[in-house]
Amino acid sequence: MAAPNPTTTTIPTRPTLRQTFSGNSFIHDHQQYKPLVPINQNIGDVLGSSAESRGPLSFNPNPISPDPEKVTDSGIIHSMFNHQTNPLATGTTQLVATIYYKSSDPIHPHLHPDSSSNAGPGNKLPSPTVPVGSAPTVDMEKIPREPPAPEPEPLDHLYGPYVSQMCLTNFLQVIESLPTPYQRMNTSHRCLDRDDQPRVVEVTFSPPPNPEYLTFTDLRKHESIWRFEREWNVEVVLQKESVFRRHKRLAVFDMDSTLIKNEVIDEIAKFIGVEKEVSEITARAMNGELDFSDSLRERVGLLKGVPADVFEKLKSVITIAPGARELCKALKCLGFKLAVLSGGFQPLAEWLAGELGLDYAFANHLEVDTASQTLTGKLVPSKPIIDASQKRTLLRSLAAENSIPISQTMSVGDGANDLLMLHAAGLGVAWRAKSKVQLEAPTRLNGESLVDVLHLLGLSNQDIKELAADVA
């Protein structure tokens, strides 16, 4: 028997650890657990041929016949998290975040002249400003000379000028990062104005952060939420979900710069040429720099000698705020009691109540000289001054008079003298308010129309249209 030719003998390749147990992907690393498919067969050959006709290189990939011969669902769910049908106990507290896109007030309205396609020759960067609601004053001269905090990237410019999918995702990431210790949340959302590119979205999530680590009050003003608002050019209003959030029965409003766009006392001052002096006092009072009662007496003193019929003349220049009529009509249709609580003056408050269908009007009473039919520059001593404390008292007394729990009340205002009633009501909304008020109020909104307040009650645009049609 001839000896084998040593030149044709092949030496087996020495196995190496790298080739056998490692690879460049998870799948390659685990190929050792799968039988190799012969290189001279394709998938059709493997599936179509029988075990007897496959040839010497064929193989049976599953020699053990399955029993039963049918793949069935094991019922096991594989998840990174502890998945359960109902992971949260019945009655778990829920929070509602209403997210408004600020389409009328972009945070980054100015592009650098070097990068803007609309920049013209000689264009300069705008003067630095302080965002409304981020400091007690927006006067740059009163801000400490420290380097300003870097502005966040305007992500709405990248993902769209509305509450985008990425905006919602980022919000949920922010919320989930706040509780300590970490807990998985259940969330859902509704688009309140339109499904495509919504401006107002309501997000419900539970459970809320443990109050031992983060109270609801602190959550409302958390730095992470403030930064999220700046990045996406939105405003977030947080409320505890309950039947009283959706079903309120009493709403009270400030008048000047809330239900109307004017400051009445400033309009009166125009008649006698002291508008500048009065406006300066008004601005300081609304920012909380002056005691309201003292500032009111000081301003009223400047009106001495003004004809008593000035209020009739003012009616033609008073501008009712956008959305005020629609808001009041919708609330009346829902059965609300409505009131105006104004630091202004009674004649115009009563006129506005008639215009908007309000049930109550409370304001300050100016003393009139009956002989000359002019203002004396004093307040009627027998009538209380409608200051911050009196507004809160009126809110509570109106609620008690109508047997309405305070949790079913809502207040809306813009000045420092509104803060007490904003905190006392079940829902207090600072509407386009002064900087100090936005910082201290429980809720703030800076939209174009007061109709936005209705979304805080969970009403969609379709709901608001139905209410308007019912009123008509």
Side-chain angles (χ1 to χ4, degrees):
M1 185 174 184
N5 188 350
T7 60
T8 61
T9 303
T10 59
I11 300 174
T13 302
R14 186 175 182 177
T16 62
L17 179 64
R18 177 171 296 280
Q19 292 178 348
T20 307
F21 293 102
S22 67
N24 58 3
S25 75
F26 177 85
I27 294 177
H28 290 163
D29 288 344
H30 294 78
Q31 288 294 329
Q32 57 182 307
Y33 302 115
K34 299 175 63 178
L36 296 176
V37 178
I39 59 174
N40 63 338
Q41 289 184 314
N42 57 36
I43 189 65
D45 296 332
V46 175
L47 297 178
S49 58
S50 63
E52 294 76 16
S53 63
R54 284 176 183 162
L57 295 178
S58 64
F59 68 96
N60 184 355
N62 187 11
I64 302 176
S65 178
D67 185 18
E69 295 189 3
K70 184 178 180 181
V71 177
T72 59
D73 189 347
S74 67
I76 299 174
I77 299 174
H78 299 278
S79 173
M80 292 175 61
F81 302 99
N82 183 19
H83 185 91
Q84 301 176 17
T85 305
N86 184 17
L88 298 177
T90 303
T92 301
T93 302
Q94 295 180 321
L95 296 185
V96 174
T98 310
I99 304 176
Y100 295 81
Y101 180 75
K102 298 167 63 177
S103 55
S104 64
D105 187 22
I107 296 176
H108 305 272
H110 304 291
L111 295 175
H112 195 287
D114 293 343
S115 61
S116 173
S117 59
N118 298 322
N123 282 13
K124 297 181 180 179
L125 284 173
S127 300
T129 58
V130 180
V132 174
S134 62
T137 176
V138 294
D139 186 352
M140 289 298 295
E141 296 303 319
K142 298 179 181 179
I143 298 295
R145 298 306 186 196
E146 298 177 359
E151 283 289 297
E153 183 180 6
L155 297 178
D156 60 311
H157 289 192
L158 300 176
Y159 295 99
Y162 51 89
V163 182
S164 62
Q165 188 92 16
M166 283 300 299
C167 176
L168 280 177
T169 301
N170 188 202
F171 175 73
L172 295 177
Q173 289 173 336
V174 169
I175 292 298
E176 282 205 334
S177 69
L178 297 180
T180 303
Y182 173 80
Q183 54 186 348
R184 185 69 172 172
M185 290 183 176
N186 280 2
T187 64
S188 63
H189 75 273
R190 294 194 302 143
C191 300
L192 297 185
D193 55 344
R194 57 181 181 270
D195 292 331
D196 180 37
Q197 300 185 356
R199 189 184 67 86
V200 187
V201 175
E202 181 184 277
V203 181
T204 303
F205 58 94
S206 63
N210 188 329
E212 294 182 5
Y213 298 96
L214 183 63
T215 66
F216 179 64
T217 301
D218 291 338
L219 175 63
R220 276 178 155 173
K221 300 181 182 297
H222 199 281
E223 181 180 342
S224 296
I225 294 180
W226 184 86
R227 182 172 180 85
F228 165 79
E229 292 177 318
R230 297 283 294 152
E231 285 179 338
W232 293 97
N233 192 23
V234 297
E235 289 185 307
V236 178
V237 177
L238 289 174
Q239 300 180 76
K240 294 181 180 180
E241 176 62 307
S242 73
V243 67
F244 295 136
R245 176 189 80 89
R246 302 183 300 274
H247 302 286
K248 299 197 183 302
R249 298 164 55 196
L250 171 66
V252 301
F253 302 92
D254 178 42
M255 182 171 71
D256 295 9
S257 299
T258 302
L259 288 180
I260 64 175
K261 299 179 70 173
N262 317 70
E263 286 286 343
V264 171
I265 196 166
D266 292 348
E267 297 294 339
I268 299 175
K270 290 180 182 179
F271 282 86
I272 57 175
V274 293
E275 178 186 6
K276 181 180 179 180
E277 294 87 338
V278 170
S279 295
E280 288 177 353
I281 299 172
T282 301
R284 293 179 66 192
M286 291 301 99
N287 281 319
E289 299 174 25
L290 296 175
D291 178 76
F292 180 81
S293 298
D294 292 340
S295 69
L296 177 63
R297 292 188 182 95
E298 185 177 350
R299 286 175 290 165
V300 168
L302 296 173
L303 305 182
K304 183 177 180 179
V306 175
D309 63 353
V310 64
F311 297 109
E312 287 297 323
K313 297 177 182 179
L314 282 178
K315 291 176 183 178
S316 61
V317 301
I318 295 299
T319 303
I320 294 177
R325 293 185 185 275
E326 294 82 352
L327 170 63
C328 292
K329 286 180 180 178
L331 294 179
K332 288 298 292 183
C333 188
L334 290 172
F336 272 65
K337 291 290 184 180
L338 305 180
V340 56
L341 312 181
S342 174
F345 305 111
Q346 189 68 22
L348 281 180
E350 291 178 355
W351 168 80
L352 184 64
E355 288 289 308
L356 300 180
L358 310 182
D359 301 287
Y360 305 94
F362 296 92
N364 295 302
H365 294 255
L366 290 174
E367 191 177 65
V368 177
D369 185 341
T370 55
S372 62
Q373 284 298 302
T374 59
L375 302 180
T376 65
K378 299 179 181 179
L379 296 167
V380 176
S382 60
K383 300 290 185 179
I385 293 177
I386 309 300
D387 57 6
S389 178
Q390 184 64 14
K391 285 188 176 186
R392 180 176 59 185
T393 299
L394 287 169
L395 166 68
R396 291 171 174 170
S397 63
L398 289 175
E401 179 182 330
N402 292 278
S403 301
I404 297 173
I406 202 69
S407 57
Q408 285 188 275
T409 65
M410 175 174 65
S411 61
V412 183
D414 75 300
N417 65 323
D418 297 316
L419 278 171
L420 292 182
M421 77 171 184
L422 295 183
H423 283 285
L427 171 63
V429 182
W431 175 255
R432 301 183 66 88
K434 311 303 182 288
S435 295
K436 174 181 171 63
V437 181
Q438 296 213 30
L439 287 172
E440 296 186 15
T443 293
R444 72 187 192 282
L445 282 180
N446 291 278
E448 297 179 81
S449 170
L450 277 165
V451 171
D452 280 352
V453 175
L454 292 173
H455 294 310
L456 297 179
L457 305 179
L459 297 176
S460 66
N461 272 13
Q462 184 59 39
D463 297 329
I464 297 169
K465 289 179 181 177
E466 290 184 18
L467 291 171
D470 186 72
V471 171

